[in-house]
Amino acid sequence: MANDVTPQRERFVLDEAHVGDIQGAFGTIRLHEETHRSWRSRVLALLAIIGPGLIVMVGDNDAGGVATYSQAGQMYGPSLLWVLLLLVPVLVVNQEMVVRLGAVTGVGHARLIVERFGRFWGWFSVIDLFILNFLTVVTEFIGVSLALGYFGVSKFIAVPLAAAALVAVTASGSFRAWERSMFVFVFANLLVIPLFFIGHPDGGQIVHHFFVPGISGGATSTSVLLIIAIVGTTVAPWQLFFQQSNIIDKRITPRWINYERLDTWIGAVVVVVGAAALMSISAFAFAHTPFFGNFTDAGGTASGLEKTLGPPAGAFFALVLLNASLIGAGALTLSTSYAFGDIFGTKSSLHRSFSDAKGFYAMFALVVVGAAVIVLIPGAPLGVITEAVQALAGVLLPSASMFLLLLCNDPAVLGPWRNRAWLNVLAVVIEAVLLLLSLILMATTVFPNLDVTQFALVGGIVMLVGLLVFGAAALRARRRGGGAGASSPTEPDVPREQWTMPPLALLERPRQSVGRRAAMLAMEGYLLLAIVMLVVKAVQLAGG
């Protein structure tokens, strides 16, 4: 990188607290500090910036993730590891687009959806996010209850203490203090490493199943639902809202985008390695034992590991579950507060004290306390919530990804930072695969005896044909338009390194073509139907 010789144009922000020095957990970058040339200065800059990408990824290996990965290993051995490898490009592509949106626009994901697609779509996205996040935070407190219950702590003590600690850490009024507390959880996630080796894994089998797709026992409705749950817990809609707003809150601007990209790539590797370790632990520890194929919940996994590998293994797993539950609850709930701040235009920053951003912190406390109370209700269907919420995340992801893709191709929003053609191709393929997985889930829910393999094959062929038709139409439209320019139509002379989105009041609404409007309506109709089908499946599981 070369030193900046021209003053950067001020980035538009909704909250003045989002302007100032970058105050990261491991360093500070002054507001007008130049970009760095020496390796030492670059490393120091990365240490100051690292955080949003790593936290969002590690936070995604939450209580539901730990339970889902453990279930996959206990039920199907290491045969589903390939699913995790396929999720790497999904994580990287989605979150890299989020990085650019956050750094360039200075506006949260929910607010951009409102401004570019209308209040209806903005509210629809935020309400979906709220429901999904709230139910997911319930699973985080289930994780806290199971983890500390392993050590003999009553849930009536564990859950309230965890809720109070999360609110206290988040409402400290210091972004740096909050980020440092999150890094405690990030480092605690490394407990999976000694746990992995205690399980005596077979490296050859792990490598084989990473690269050779298959399902032990064949594809069934249950295994497909579990695969979609893995997708839902590893790639979740809240990640988009959280990282974009957290980048803005940390005051990361376009000149630091490459550092934040690296932060995100590191996080993607960490999340997949951690998930693979958890899946492998259950697969090899329970192989050829009565526990194999008999998953109950994450607490049962901890007890099973104690019996098969010894007390240290059970304790390590319980600590991993507790850590995952806390960082997941903190990040998920914060994404909800950020999103509602975007919608209502209220002060929404971790740099602000509680008295200066009451609505922001009140929303955080409301979600945390409400979820904690549900876990403490006797007889609440917590097991059904845990499984259903992961599948729900997988179903809602295509909608969130669609808005993300449209925003990253909006010249008024990203100008010269918008997607390249090759990235759009990859993103559309990912979107199509997510839709296919959701369709399989719906079909197996309505028709439990459906031949999943044949349905997936036919769906894959239809998806491929659809992609080819879509690609041909897009290429034809691109040729007619003479190709998309690389600069903003309103400011063609601004260098890419200095370009930021103009104030929202100056942006004209994008032209809504009939095809684009029809596609959005079809997507939302599909989502409503998918949610109904998931509710049906959840009722079936509860009754069974």
Side-chain angles (χ1 to χ4, degrees), residues 11-12 94-110 112-113 116-117 240-241 243-245 247-248 252 254 257 261 400-401 403-410 412-415 417-419 499-501:
R11 181 182 61 163
F12 170 72
N94 277 359
Q95 298 308 124
E96 191 279 334
M97 288 192 283
V98 169
V99 168
R100 281 182 282 125
L101 280 176
V104 174
T105 68
V107 178
H109 202 67
L112 281 179
I113 292 176
R116 305 311 287 168
F117 303 102
L240 312 180
F241 292 83
Q243 190 173 3
Q244 184 167 332
S245 292
I247 285 171
I248 296 165
I252 295 173
I257 277 182
R261 281 171 171 158
S401 298
F403 285 120
L404 176 65
L405 184 59
L406 291 174
L407 287 170
C408 285
N409 281 279
D410 191 332
V413 171
L414 283 187
W417 290 99
R418 64 189 185 273
N419 283 1
W499 198 94
T500 57
M501 187 186 74

Side-chain angles (χ1 to χ4, degrees), residues 111-123:
R111 184 59 179 268
L112 281 179
I113 292 176
V114 169
E115 295 294 334
R116 305 311 287 168
F117 303 102
R119 294 191 65 83
F120 172 81
W121 300 112
W123 274 103

